Amino acid sequence: MSNNRARRAIVIGGSLGGLMSANLLLQAGWDVEIFERSGEDLANRGAGIGTHEELFCVLKRIGIDIDPTIGVPVSGRHCLDASGQVVAYWPAPRTMSAWARLYRPLKERFPSTRYHFGMRLVAIEPVVDGVTAVFADGTRHRADLLVGADGFGSTVRSFFSTQASPSYAGYVGWRGLVNEWEMPVDFHRKMFEHYFFCLPEGEIMLCFPVPGKDHSVIPGKRAYTFVWYHPTEEHKGLADLCTDAKGVCHGSSIAPPLIRPDVVRQLRESAHAQMAPQMAQMVDLAPQPFFQAIYDLDSPSVVQGRVVLLGDAAFVARPHTGMGVTKAAIDAATLADALQADSDLDLALAQYGKRCGLFGSRAVARGRWCGAHLEAQSTKPRADRTAEELSHGSTIMVLREHGAKISDIADLAPLVQWLH
Ligand SMILES: Cc1cc2nc3c(=O)[nH]c(=O)nc-3n(C[C@H](O)[C@H](O)[C@H](O)COP(=O)(O)OP(=O)(O)OC[C@H]3O[C@@H](n4cnc5c(N)ncnc54)[C@H](O)[C@@H]3O)c2cc1C
């Protein structure tokens, strides 16, 4: 490579992980372009996002202000029993943000001429000191480095010689959202400012406030959301949830409008049978509940030649950690720092591989630990479950450990101190 040209990086995937990485590499003097499969702006994706201090550190580094509009603050978590009484409280200040609230400033900071929509990567060809990316429209782009930020179903990962495939955790996360202005007054007064858990045996449900439409945090314009982790056996249960009213099975996910009315009806009935009345009311109020199957992904390697994996393409930790976007941010900063610290590209990438791999596999292990009893519900007969798998552990432990601050997690805290 000549010494007087900027090193060139291609980022595959223009979601949060790809944008954070591309912004940091551009700041470091790289010639960067993003190629995103979707043909249109991604801002209307996603729902509530739990944040961590480390995510804010990376956003600040990119030049994004962290002001009160970043999200809705909550001060602690309450746990409700089946009758709706508060049985536990754990103080845990957090900020609940929204996917679009993070995407918008990241996208605005990155030059639009370098962000290409409607570009689906189909192949990667290694070349001397670099890589060529091949797209579905037949175009080819050469670079010194290719960053695979193309998410959980990563095409980039499929070109690795040793690769992990996602493994289903045995449960789904049902989700739903109600606009603040559409909440009944009494329900709003009792619920809105709070983060609630309900923990019937083998289930976890949470409700919390998030920014509203156009990521507004103005009172009256925010939203309230629920996540219900519900054991669902893979071959019959999940396949049935993903089968539409015409009998077509869509694999392991389905577009929300195609979810059958009888599936939603059953969800609402189960909520009334198992959950605190307030939580069941929340499921009733959400106009279009939808779900995501929960998977683990633990990659044995995130670097191959001049290709690296980042964010959900590399590791997926279960959402109990509330860490998906933060982990993508940490990966992006780890990569940018490794490249700045070592002018030898291959040595820098090896360093990235080591650090990203360690944090990622520990985050995945933590997600598995947080969800072990949920997993056991659909993968083991009751008689075979261990004591831990039969119960959630103590209620306070669940409130404390779900979405815990990274700085409070002994295994992870030392790995991210450099960011602060
Ligand atoms: C129930 C649930 C709750 C969650 N809650 C939280 C939370 O509270 N906090 C949190 O931080 N995270 C949470 N997450 C995780 C979070 O959504 C992800 O970790 C995060 O979005 C990962 O970002 P990413 O950029 O790595 O991948 P993605 O956001 O998946 O983006 C990948 C991009 O690559 C593009 N792409 C894919 N293939 C190609 C191709 N071949 N060519 C070109 N482009 C391609 C896609 O179109 C997409 O835009 C949750 C997840 C679930 C399931």
Side-chain angles (χ1 to χ4, degrees), residues 12-13 15-18 35-37 42 45 48-50 99 119-121 149-151 155 175 292 310-312 319 322-326:
I12 306 298
S15 172
L16 300 181
F35 294 88
E36 164 57 45
R37 168 179 70 182
L42 311 179
R45 263 187 197 183
I49 290 291
W99 199 92
M119 293 295 285
R120 183 167 64 87
L121 177 92
D150 54 343
T155 305
R175 307 183 81 174
Q292 284 156 297
L310 175 150
D312 277 11
M323 214 183 271
V325 175
T326 300

Side-chain angles (χ1 to χ4, degrees), residues 5 37 103 127 146 158 215 226 292 304 330 377 401:
R5 80 164 167 87
R37 168 179 70 182
Y103 172 77
V127 294
L146 184 143
S158 69
H215 44 78
F226 78 83
Q292 284 156 297
Q304 182 165 294
I330 293 168
Q377 308 298 313
E401 301 298 343

Side-chain angles (χ1 to χ4, degrees), residues 17 22 25 29 38 71 99 125 149 176 186 211 241 246 251 257 296 302 319 373 403 406:
L25 291 178
S38 169
W99 199 92
E125 294 168 3
D186 195 43
L241 293 186
K246 291 183 180 152
D296 299 307
V302 296
H373 65 285
I406 296 179

Side-chain angles (χ1 to χ4, degrees), residues 103-150:
Y103 172 77
R104 184 54 66 217
L106 283 165
K107 176 82 171 47
E108 275 163 8
R109 291 198 81 78
F110 193 74
S112 58
T113 49
R114 291 176 175 271
Y115 188 118
H116 309 288
F117 284 110
M119 293 295 285
R120 183 167 64 87
L121 177 92
V122 292
I124 297 174
E125 294 168 3
V127 294
V128 176
D129 286 340
V131 66
T132 297
V134 184
F135 293 88
D137 66 356
T139 54
R140 303 166 69 83
H141 293 264
R142 192 189 186 293
D144 303 298
L145 172 67
L146 184 143
V147 179
D150 54 343

Side-chain angles (χ1 to χ4, degrees), residues 281-298:
Q281 190 179 357
M282 182 62 197
V283 182
D284 284 342
L285 288 170
Q288 178 142 68
F290 60 99
F291 64 89
Q292 284 156 297
I294 306 301
Y295 286 88
D296 299 307
L297 175 73
D298 193 344

